[in-house]
Amino acid sequence: MKDQNPNAGLNERLDFVGLGEEQRRHLAEVRPVIKEAVGGSLDAFYRKVKANPQTAGFFSSDDHIAKAKNRQATHWDGIASGKYGSEYVENVSAIGRTHARLGLEPRWYIGGYALILDGIVRAIVQQELKGFLHEKKAKPLSEHLSAIIKAALLDMDYAISVYLQVLSDERQQIETEQQAAQEAQEAALGALNEALKNLAEGDLTSELRQQLAPNFAGLQRNYNSSLAELDAAMLEISTSVEQVRAEAGGISSAAGNMAKRTEQQASALEQTAAALEEITTISSQSAQRTREVQAIVRESAAETVRSGKVVEQAVAAMGEIEQSSQKMTQIIGAIDEIAFQTNLLALNAGVEAARAGEQGKGFAVVAQEVRELAQRSAAAAKEIKELIDQSSADVHRGVDLVNKTGEALVGIGARVKSIDEHISSIAQSAQEQASGIGEINSAIRSMDQITQQNAALMEETNASTENLVGISGRLASLMAHFKTKGAREARVERTRLRA
């Protein structure tokens, strides 16, 4: 993990080069000398920079050089102060980033450090070796130290340059390998892009057939395998879609027919329910009429019984009339006998009156009148007898008829009683039938409601199957956009058969 303390690397460096507090204090003591020497050294450095074609291009004008010189002078003053902290790290890091951005090679700013250190060393030696006796030693010492510093910096320049060159070569190799990998990747991506473009257009036969880099072989195999699996799946889906279309068409047709039949059945049940309702009403009316007929029959039976009793009374009256006729016949017989005897007596009186002569003429007249009266009485008795006989015969016939009427009324009474029993059974059956028809009517109404609900459900089912047909049609249209191996082989086979 990267150290969050920016002074950690600085402290390691200070410790490694032995630039501790005492050395930094010595550095701060010669700060004025360093500041004065840096100015001249920087002037010499930038003269060389302007004269060198490779470094002159880094600066656009003298003003640009002056600003760079001032920044470096300030930076060297910070170095000579002996105070190294986060501000120093930020400043030196900014300088390094600026050099990297400009592409300034290390040898140029190492050379600049050599010139600046040369000026600083000479200034410090001269400062420390002032005086007549030391001036002669100062110049050779300065030359010696300058030569050592420059030799060391030159060696450091080469070492760093070689190090950076090796890094550059390695980076170049990496970039070459990355370029090759990028070209292989671009080739693979191009092939994959073309294949995916064809796949987006529905072509499931667009495999990766190009020769790709070895590291893309797995991708090629996986893509081709996935495409083959997708092609097989799409072929199976296409077959299933066709089956679904066929099944959905059959279901839609059956649902349509069933919906029509259900509608017809609902209409028929509705008519049946209406008819049964009417039959229920008629049956109720029939039961009522049957009960009324039953009451009438019962009244007729009672009336027949009463008529039978009247007939019996008539038969009894006829018997009494017959007895009265017999008595009247006997009386008429007696009257006829009296008339015969009177006539006989009148005849005898006439004979006796004739024998009496004149004295008997009045008695003869009376006898003659009595005789005529007796004859009329006999004639009248005869006529009455004939009438009574006729009446007696009529009474006999009436008695026979009344007897037959009584027998007929008795038979009628028995039949009326039987009819009453049958009518009672019919009334009970009619009541049970009306109750049964009511239950049937209730069941039919329930069936009618269920059929109406079924008809509504069938309409919904029909609409759903029509939607299913539409969906399967759209699925088929979507599947038609895909080009599969099976479809291609089927087209080839159809073309071969037509040829």
Side-chain angles (χ1 to χ4, degrees), residues 234-250 472-473 475-477 479-480:
M234 283 298 177
L235 181 61
E236 185 174 355
I237 291 172
S238 178
T239 305
S240 300
V241 165
E242 291 299 324
Q243 293 176 354
V244 168
R245 289 187 66 188
E247 294 294 334
S472 61
L475 283 175
S477 299
M479 289 302 303

Side-chain angles (χ1 to χ4, degrees), residues 114-399:
L115 294 174
I116 292 172
L117 288 174
D118 178 66
I120 292 173
V121 167
R122 291 180 184 275
I124 291 174
V125 170
Q126 290 177 0
Q127 177 68 22
E128 296 296 333
L129 297 177
K130 287 181 179 181
F132 178 76
L133 297 175
H134 299 290
E135 286 182 357
K136 292 182 179 180
K137 294 181 179 180
K139 185 176 182 181
L141 180 60
S142 298
E143 293 294 339
H144 294 162
L145 292 175
S146 175
I148 291 172
I149 291 171
K150 289 179 179 178
L153 291 176
L154 177 65
D155 187 70
M156 183 175 64
D157 170 27
Y158 270 103
I160 292 175
S161 297
V162 172
Y163 173 75
L164 294 177
Q165 184 63 40
V166 171
L167 292 179
S168 176
D169 293 342
E170 291 178 352
R171 184 172 63 252
Q172 184 65 34
Q173 183 178 359
I174 292 173
E175 289 177 354
T176 302
E177 292 176 354
Q178 289 178 346
Q179 182 66 26
Q182 183 175 0
E183 291 177 356
Q185 181 178 356
E186 289 178 354
L189 289 176
L192 183 60
N193 181 54
E194 184 67 22
L196 290 174
K197 180 181 178 182
N198 295 332
L199 181 61
E201 294 174 353
D203 187 2
L204 299 180
T205 63
S206 178
E207 296 179 348
L208 286 176
R209 300 182 180 86
Q210 296 87 337
Q211 184 67 32
L212 302 180
N215 55 333
F216 292 101
L219 173 64
Q220 186 175 17
R221 286 193 304 271
N222 293 334
Y223 174 81
N224 291 337
S225 176
S226 300
L227 190 65
E229 293 291 335
L230 182 60
D231 180 78
M234 283 298 177
L235 181 61
E236 185 174 355
I237 291 172
S238 178
T239 305
S240 300
V241 165
E242 291 299 324
Q243 293 176 354
V244 168
R245 289 187 66 188
E247 294 294 334
I251 292 172
S252 178
S253 177
N257 293 332
M258 186 176 293
K260 291 180 181 178
R261 289 195 296 271
T262 303
E263 186 177 356
Q264 294 173 356
Q265 184 181 5
S267 177
L269 274 175
E270 187 176 358
Q271 294 175 358
T272 303
L276 275 174
E277 186 73 26
E278 185 175 356
I279 289 171
T280 302
T281 303
I282 294 172
S283 178
S284 298
Q285 293 175 355
S286 298
Q288 182 63 29
R289 298 291 184 272
T290 303
R291 287 192 294 270
E292 293 175 358
V293 170
Q294 185 182 13
I296 293 171
V297 169
R298 287 178 179 174
E299 291 178 359
S300 298
E303 189 66 29
T304 301
V305 172
R306 289 194 295 271
S307 298
K309 291 180 180 180
V310 171
V311 168
E312 289 178 357
Q313 293 174 1
V315 170
M318 285 294 180
E320 293 176 357
I321 292 171
E322 185 179 9
Q323 291 176 2
S324 298
S325 296
Q326 290 176 357
K327 291 179 179 180
M328 287 176 65
T329 301
Q330 292 174 0
I331 293 168
I332 291 302
I335 293 171
D336 186 49
E337 182 67 27
I338 292 169
F340 177 77
Q341 292 295 330
T342 301
N343 186 30
L344 183 62
L345 290 173
L347 181 61
N348 290 330
V351 172
E352 291 296 329
R355 285 178 183 178
E358 287 296 331
Q359 296 177 351
K361 284 184 180 181
F363 187 73
V365 173
V366 175
Q368 184 63 35
E369 289 294 331
V370 173
R371 184 181 179 188
E372 289 179 1
L373 182 59
Q375 288 178 351
R376 286 198 301 269
S377 297
K382 183 179 181 182
E383 290 177 3
I384 291 171
K385 184 180 181 183
E386 290 177 357
L387 290 173
I388 289 173
D389 290 339
Q390 183 66 38
S391 296
S392 180
D394 292 336
V395 168
H396 278 296
R397 285 195 302 274
V399 170

Side-chain angles (χ1 to χ4, degrees), residues 69-107:
K69 178 181 176 183
N70 289 333
R71 285 195 297 271
Q72 281 191 302
T74 301
H75 181 63
W76 272 103
D77 185 58
I79 294 173
S81 68
K83 298 177 180 179
Y84 302 118
S86 58
E87 184 179 359
Y88 167 76
V89 174
E90 291 176 0
N91 291 334
V92 74
S93 298
I95 293 172
R97 286 192 293 270
T98 301
H99 291 168
R101 177 172 54 80
L102 295 175
L104 184 66
E105 294 180 7
R107 62 173 177 160

